[in-house]
Amino acid sequence: MKTEKVDKRQAILEAAEKLFCETGYEGTSTRQISKESGANMAMINYYFGSKEGVFIEIMNNRIAGFASQLKIINEDKISSLEKLHKVIEGYANRIFSNIAFHKMMHRELSLTQRPEMYDKIKNAMNHNMSLLDRIIIDGIEDGSFNNVDVRMVISTIMGTLTNVVIAPHKIAQGTIIDLSNPKENKLIKERAIAHLQNLVTVYLTTKK
């Protein structure tokens, strides 16, 4: 019985994520989530309380997954630059493996009518930002990095990857890029990773 409950809970999350990605938060109803997941409305309310509760749980799970990855990188016995390169690669892999989710997340969290929802997941996001801060600050403190605006470096990395997946035509160079095509997805992802790794290396380590 316990396994069945866990399976139903997971089914609700998976169905909701699929619907949120396809039709957005406003375009998705709990009734649709119920139908897609095979769970009744009472079960959705029991586990999550509301549609907002389902959305926040999905977001927190994703944020926690990246936090686990960052923790492993932070604890690795390698240089700060190597850690930052791993962060770039890991973050790019997460985004390019589920572009629809990243677009949805970016859209929903940027809407002004969602301040309460954003506030509920802000602490989890702040935890990840502090882990990223630590990597760059350690590099500054041990002298391997220049004294830079840490949050601007992080924003540059995240903003570049978001811009690439939301508006790939900006880097198309006259061709049409289809990120749903696995071959093109891989090529653009590797191009973005290489660009950002080179960018942070030059910016953080070239002595002024």
Side-chain angles (χ1 to χ4, degrees):
M1 178 66 83
K2 187 176 180 181
T3 302
E4 184 181 342
K5 286 184 177 179
V6 172
D7 289 344
K8 279 295 181 186
R9 190 177 190 281
Q10 188 58 35
I12 292 167
L13 291 172
E14 290 173 1
E17 181 175 323
K18 176 176 177 288
L19 290 167
F20 287 145
C21 288
E22 289 174 354
T23 62
Y25 180 81
E26 288 296 342
T28 301
S29 67
T30 50
R31 193 170 297 281
Q32 287 173 304
I33 295 171
S34 172
K35 183 179 178 181
E36 182 77 23
S37 65
N40 59 44
M41 301 278 283
M43 193 168 284
I44 294 173
N45 290 330
Y46 171 75
Y47 284 126
F48 307 104
S50 64
K51 180 177 73 170
E52 181 180 303
V54 179
F55 183 83
I56 290 170
E57 181 76 6
I58 291 168
M59 290 297 303
N60 283 340
N61 286 345
R62 291 280 177 172
I63 293 167
F66 189 42
S68 297
Q69 192 175 4
L70 289 173
K71 187 173 183 292
I72 291 169
I73 292 172
N74 255 317
E75 292 172 352
D76 206 350
K77 302 301 181 185
I78 54 178
S79 71
S80 295
L81 183 60
E82 289 171 311
K83 287 179 182 180
L84 195 54
H85 280 191
K86 280 194 169 188
V87 168
I88 291 168
E89 185 175 358
Y91 191 57
N93 283 330
R94 294 180 74 84
I95 290 176
F96 277 83
S97 66
N98 197 341
I99 290 173
F101 176 84
H102 186 74
K103 285 182 176 179
M104 180 274 295
M105 179 192 75
H106 183 266
R107 180 180 66 247
E108 298 300 337
L109 294 183
S110 65
L111 294 174
T112 55
Q113 63 263 39
R114 305 263 196 275
E116 291 182 8
M117 188 185 296
Y118 178 76
D119 285 343
K120 288 179 180 177
I121 62 174
K122 189 165 62 176
N123 287 340
M125 295 176 75
N126 284 342
H127 176 65
N128 283 4
M129 292 297 283
S130 67
L131 290 172
L132 287 168
D133 285 344
R134 190 70 259 160
I135 291 173
I136 301 175
I137 291 169
D138 284 347
I140 293 171
E141 290 178 348
D142 69 22
S144 57
F145 288 169
N146 295 322
N147 189 11
V148 298
D149 186 326
V150 174
R151 285 295 172 95
M152 286 301 288
V153 173
I154 295 171
S155 181
T156 298
I157 294 168
M158 292 182 166
T160 298
L161 289 171
T162 294
N163 197 42
V164 168
V165 297
I166 288 177
H169 63 276
K170 292 181 179 178
I171 57 164
Q173 297 174 325
T175 61
I176 297 174
I177 295 174
D178 179 10
L179 293 178
S180 64
N181 179 305
K183 185 177 179 181
E184 291 190 37
N185 181 294
K186 183 173 183 291
L187 285 171
I188 298 303
K189 179 183 73 176
E190 290 176 351
R191 183 177 158 194
I193 290 170
H195 166 73
L196 285 170
Q197 288 178 339
N198 288 335
L199 189 72
V200 298
T201 300
V202 173
Y203 180 62
L204 292 173
T205 66
T206 301
K207 297 305 175 185
K208 298 174 182 178

